Every structure is written in structure tokens, then in C-alpha cells.
Amino acid sequence: MNFHEPIGVTLPYRIGKQKASRGCGLPFILASLVLMSPAVLGSDYRHADEPIGDVEAVYSGQLTPDLAVSTFRNIHRLFPSRIIEAGETPRPLPASSQSIDGLSVEAGGESYDIYDYLALNSIAGLIVLKDGEVVYETYQRGNHKDTRWMSMSVAKSISSTLAGMAIQDGLIEGLDAQVVDYVPELEGTAYEGVTLRNILMMSSGVAWNETYTDVNSDRRDLLRAQIAQKPGGAMEVMAGLSRAAEPGAVNNYSTGETQILAAILDGALDQPLAEYLSEKLWQPYGMESDATWWLASPGGVEIGGSGIGATLRDYARFGQFILEDGMIDGSRVLPEGWVEEATTPKTLAGGEALDYGYMWWTGWTPDSKRDGAFAAVGIQGQYVYVNPTENVVIAQNAAEPKPLGKHVVDPMVFFDAVVEHLE
């Protein structure tokens, strides 16, 4: 399937949750699109006319550098997407009196400055907040403050956060809620007996191969289901998996688990995930730009593990919201204790320590572990880093040439250096 053409159905659209009409097809979607203004459709977006690549080439790491950049800031053209609406009053990000002038990063026996890091790690945007103020902000590769950039798996941490919000609102019973109670399509499958906690820890015990570049992997099966845009296609993939271990016993990183999380949320909410995210966070916290979120099928559920397109500043604001313990203007949006529970290492059923939270990566360097730092991480170099000890948030957009393993400087080592420089 070719996604090069920006045809109507691949543009973001605002429609409500259409459970009864998810198989309604092209006429319904086109009718919905007719009602939207050019601004909503993105025709005034500065990057709207740039060429984009094929989604399978993204996951295979087979895009030239320029095409990768233009694709990563136009991901709403790859699949049908919902708008995550921003409010009218952006939360200020004041300038800090501190700076990163003279920053030095030691990695692998070499010394790097900020210019080395930007170039060698293919950085497209980087912002550093200390105490909620902007210490450093840069945009590369033709990006600007209003450029939307792909989240990749940073979306997993956002979906996890939505689960916490739904628990706070009484829409999900709690972490021990059974998957099949919210996703009846999975009754009688390997997901019987699996809890929300198991899903958030990616410890369902269900077999899964996440290898992005392997066209025969489960991850690519799920991508093909997304490409097909068939209602229920993603859950068909998940329903066909087999059990490899008991729930809670083994951690196995799985984007499929995050699509199940999206399905749980879909079963619990009376509105689309994008709309819930807008009402709970994007508008009240003061995100400054509308964002977009891929759908598994036209009018269907959002892609829980990927596909958000948002500005760098709004990714940083998301990190700041988490740093502030899920509070907005004195009101609790996440359950008390949720942030600490979700972002600290967990323990598997057999007692094995797990350096992973609830779809958040815990720090993997000595300094980040000391500070209790954690991050939302996406392939090709996407990060939202939070250091609760030193009150630092760093958001990074990048265009690394392959999904994994192509950075020169470990971003966590760089983040450690920034934190040390600002102490």
C-alpha cells in the first residue's frame, strides 16, 4: 500500500467515537472531512507540501535523511488521525537565567559538546527545562516551534498516563482490572487472566516478537493490520497469539500490549482517546498546539503505542506535568502516588527486578538511577526525560537512520551531563 499521496482519508479529522459505525467506510469519512476548515485539515501547516515516505520504510530504516525528516513531521498523512485539541491559553515556558554554555559530555572515552551531540545524534529539536524554565531550545533540519514531530513509542507513556487518569475518574477499576472485562474480543485467548498491571508492565506472558526490521515479526504483523485499516484488525492479531509464560512472570517489550491498553481505554471511555487526552491534559495544562493521533481504522481506536504528532514544546510540557505529579493548577488529574508507581522499577511475579515501570523506561546509567530519572522513549531517537531530583525535563526529537542502535552518544549519558552542568 502506498502512502505517498495525501488523499482525503489520511488527513486528521474531528469526529466523535463511532462504535456503531467503525466499518462505515469511505463515504462517511469523506462526509466528515467536508465539514472541516482548511486550518483543521492542516493546509496552513508549514510542512504540508513536503514529500513523505512509506510507513514500512520508516520501520525498516530505509529512508534517506531528508525524506525521513519530512516524513517524521508529517505523520498525520500516513494514516487517518484524530485531532488532540489544544486550549486557547498556552502554559508559559519562561526563559531561565541558566545556560548549557560549556557543556561537555564524556562517552566511550571521547568528549563531545552540544554541537557534536546535535549533529552526531541526528537531532531535529531539543529543549531543556529546569524548574519549569527554558534553559536551552533549538530546532534543526528546518523544524520550528510549530512543527509537529512523531512520538513513536513516547505515545506508550502517554497511553499509560491516560490509564491513570481513567482510574482517577473511576472509569477503570484499578490496576488489577481484567483485560477481557474491557476488551471482550480477547475472551478465550491468551489474554484471559491478564490484568491491566500486566499490560502496563508488558508482562502478560503472551509471546511477541518486537523486531521492527523483521518483516515476519509480530510487530510488523500489527503494522500490516494498521495499514489495512480494517476495523478490529489489530485485535485479530493480538487474539491469535500464544501464551509463553504465566501473567506477571516475564517482561517482553510489546507494542501489541499498548494497543490492548488502547482497547481497554476505548472500552472504559465514552469518547475517543484523543478527545479524553485533550479534555484531561492538552487543554487544561495549556498545550499550545493541536496534536494528531493515528487511528487503527477510520473512526476507530487510536494507536496506543505510536502515532502522536506534537510539537517539541508540548512534549516538554507533558514531561513537566509528570514532574509535577499529575497535578494541574492544584487539582489532581492522576491518582495520588501514580507517578512514582508508574515510573520506578517494578518486580516480576517471581521476584526478578525489572528496570521498567508502567510503559516508562527507568534510568539506565548510574547518575540517572541515583536521581530516580525516567523517560518516555521512541525509536529513531525520541525522548521525554524527567529527573524529579533535579527538577529537569528534556524533550528530544531526532531522525536517527534506523529504529534502534544508531546514536553515537547515549542520550541518557547526555541528559546526565546536562543535569550535572545545571546543578
Side-chain angles (χ1 to χ4, degrees):
M1 188 171 183
N2 190 325
F3 288 98
H4 290 272
E5 296 300 321
I7 59 175
V9 295
T10 64
L11 291 168
Y13 54 95
R14 287 188 177 100
I15 60 175
K17 190 174 182 181
Q18 300 289 337
K19 282 193 172 180
S21 57
R22 285 181 176 169
C24 54
L26 184 61
F28 175 84
I29 301 304
L30 291 179
S32 299
L33 287 169
V34 168
L35 300 176
M36 292 185 296
S37 70
V40 171
L41 289 173
S43 60
D44 61 342
Y45 180 50
R46 71 170 68 238
H47 306 292
D49 296 327
E50 295 175 349
I52 60 173
D54 184 273
V55 70
E56 290 193 282
V58 172
Y59 284 92
S60 296
Q62 296 176 348
L63 294 175
T64 57
D66 285 349
L67 188 58
V69 167
S70 59
T71 301
F72 294 173
R73 60 192 179 206
N74 280 286
I75 63 165
H76 61 284
R77 289 162 56 190
L78 293 172
F79 292 105
S81 299
R82 277 199 186 92
I83 301 291
I84 305 167
E85 295 187 52
E88 296 181 356
T89 306
R91 180 171 293 258
L93 290 177
S96 172
S97 60
Q98 297 193 65
S99 78
I100 61 169
D101 291 348
L103 175 72
S104 180
V105 184
E106 305 300 321
E110 299 287 340
S111 180
Y112 303 94
D113 62 18
I114 183 63
Y115 307 101
D116 297 326
Y117 183 77
L118 296 175
L120 296 173
N121 277 32
S122 303
I123 303 302
L126 183 71
I127 185 169
V128 177
L129 306 183
K130 170 75 171 179
D131 300 326
E133 298 179 341
V134 179
V135 173
Y136 181 79
E137 183 175 12
T138 187
Y139 297 90
Q140 303 296 319
R141 309 297 181 90
N143 282 10
H144 299 265
K145 288 182 179 180
D146 60 351
T147 298
R148 294 190 299 265
W149 193 263
M150 67 175 187
S151 67
M152 300 312 265
S153 291
V154 168
K156 292 178 171 67
S157 303
I158 295 175
S159 293
S160 166
T161 301
L162 287 182
M165 293 173 178
I167 291 172
Q168 174 72 6
D169 288 344
L171 301 172
I172 295 177
E173 293 179 3
L175 290 169
D176 294 325
Q178 294 289 312
V179 168
V180 296
D181 288 345
Y182 296 87
V183 192
E185 304 96 308
L186 295 179
E187 290 180 359
T189 73
Y191 284 95
E192 286 277 2
V194 173
T195 67
L196 173 61
R197 188 194 309 271
N198 298 148
I199 293 294
L200 292 172
M201 289 174 59
M202 294 193 183
S203 62
S204 68
V206 177
W208 182 265
N209 178 355
E210 182 73 9
T211 308
Y212 303 101
T213 54
D214 179 359
V215 296
N216 296 312
S217 69
D218 297 309
R219 178 64 188 93
R220 294 299 284 270
D221 284 345
L222 186 65
L223 179 61
R224 281 187 283 270
Q226 184 181 348
I227 290 170
Q229 288 287 291
K230 174 187 172 184
M235 286 304 101
E236 287 181 12
V237 172
M238 303 311 294
L241 301 174
S242 59
R243 175 160 298 286
E246 288 302 305
V250 176
N251 170 260
N252 184 18
Y253 188 88
S254 167
T255 295
E257 307 277 80
T258 325
Q259 195 55 35
I260 289 177
L261 174 58
I264 292 170
L265 289 163
D266 186 56
L269 305 176
D270 61 358
Q271 61 190 138
L273 276 63
E275 186 176 305
Y276 187 64
L277 177 59
S278 172
E279 291 183 4
K280 299 296 294 185
L281 178 61
W282 230 250
Q283 294 191 45
Y285 194 74
M287 305 307 189
E288 66 184 285
S289 301
D290 287 353
T292 60
W293 200 346
W294 284 345
L295 302 179
S297 62
V301 67
E302 286 77 356
I303 297 295
S306 188
I308 292 176
T311 65
L312 181 70
R313 286 186 145 222
D314 286 343
Y315 284 126
R317 287 185 176 94
F318 169 63
Q320 189 67 28
F321 164 74
I322 295 297
L323 181 66
E324 294 168 2
D325 197 35
M327 302 282 288
I328 300 179
D329 299 329
S331 297
R332 181 155 291 287
V333 181
L334 289 170
E336 186 173 359
W338 175 270
V339 170
E340 182 176 1
E341 174 72 10
T343 61
T344 51
K346 304 269 87 61
T347 303
L348 294 169
E352 179 185 352
L354 176 62
D355 290 330
Y356 192 69
Y358 295 157
M359 297 186 181
W360 286 91
W361 290 95
T362 56
W364 54 83
T365 61
D367 288 350
S368 62
K369 289 181 177 181
R370 177 201 64 206
D371 289 347
F374 52 90
V377 182
I379 58 174
Q380 270 110 353
Q382 321 317 318
Y383 284 83
V384 176
Y385 163 91
V386 180
N387 187 311
T389 300
E390 299 298 335
N391 220 26
V392 171
V393 170
I394 302 173
Q396 172 179 298
N397 298 155
E400 293 176 10
K402 292 290 186 290
L404 297 172
K406 289 300 180 181
H407 56 253
V408 175
V409 178
D410 182 342
M412 191 63 72
V413 172
F414 171 76
F415 302 154
D416 288 343
V418 170
V419 169
E420 182 179 4
H421 185 84
L422 296 176
E423 287 179 352

